[in-house]
Amino acid sequence: MAGDSVSTRGKTVVLSSLPLQILLYLNGWYFALFWIGELLLFIYKATLLPYPGANFAAEAVILIFMAGIEYVRLFLGKKGNLTEKIIHLGVSLGIGLATLFFGLYLFLWQTYVLRIELILVAIEMAFLFFEAIFGLIAIITFARAESFR
C-alpha cells in the first residue's frame, strides 16, 4: 500500500500514519454530513431571516467553495499518507488553512450564526486540528526515513 516504504534487513517498514488515515476517512464522512446540514440551515435562514445586500450570494459561494477545497484536501491527505509523499501531505496541510478560514467565517462572521452551526463547525475544526498534528508527525517521519536512504 505504501509507495516508498523503508526496507531494513529485507523487511519493509510502512511509515504511513494509521491515526491520520482514520481521521481523514472519518472527516470525509463527517464533512459530507456537515455540508448537507449547513446547506439545510442556510436554506432555513434564507427563508425566515432577512439577508442584507449580497450576503446571501456570498455565503452560498463560500459554502460551495468549502466543499470543493475540502474534497481536494482530503484526497491529497489520503494519497500523501498512503504513498508516503511529503509534498502531498504538505499541500493538504496548506489547503487546510483555507478550510480553516471558511470554518472561521461560518463560526464567527456569517450574517446569522445558529447554535447548532457553532457545534458543527467546532467539530470540523477539531478534525482539522488533529489532522494537522498527525499530518506534521507523518511529514517528519517521512522526512527522517528519506534521510536514511
Side-chain angles (χ1 to χ4, degrees), residues 14-142:
V14 177
L15 301 174
S16 297
S17 172
L18 181 61
L20 176 61
Q21 197 66 27
I22 290 171
L23 281 171
L24 290 168
Y25 176 79
L26 292 176
N27 193 10
W29 283 102
Y30 177 75
F31 186 79
L33 295 174
F34 166 81
W35 195 83
I36 291 170
E38 280 292 325
L39 182 65
L40 293 174
L41 287 170
F42 185 69
I43 292 169
Y44 169 77
K45 291 186 296 186
T47 57
L48 294 179
L49 302 170
Y51 267 86
N55 288 10
F56 181 78
E59 290 180 7
V61 167
I62 284 174
L63 197 59
I64 292 168
F65 277 160
M66 188 176 183
I69 288 173
E70 184 68 4
Y71 175 78
V72 171
R73 185 187 74 81
L74 291 172
F75 175 78
L76 287 174
K78 288 177 187 177
K79 182 178 180 180
N81 187 37
L82 291 177
T83 60
E84 300 173 4
K85 299 288 185 190
I86 294 172
I87 188 72
H88 292 100
L89 274 177
V91 171
S92 175
L93 288 175
I95 293 173
L97 293 175
T99 303
L100 177 67
F101 175 75
F102 287 141
L104 285 175
Y105 179 84
L106 293 174
F107 195 81
L108 300 172
W109 302 309
Q110 69 177 321
T111 306
Y112 300 107
V113 181
L114 302 178
R115 194 168 296 166
I116 187 70
E117 287 180 304
L118 293 176
I119 295 168
L120 291 173
V121 173
I123 293 170
E124 179 64 24
M125 295 300 128
F127 270 114
L128 282 172
F129 175 75
F130 287 114
E131 287 171 9
I133 298 287
F134 285 113
L136 288 172
I137 292 170
I139 287 173
I140 292 168
T141 304
F142 300 160

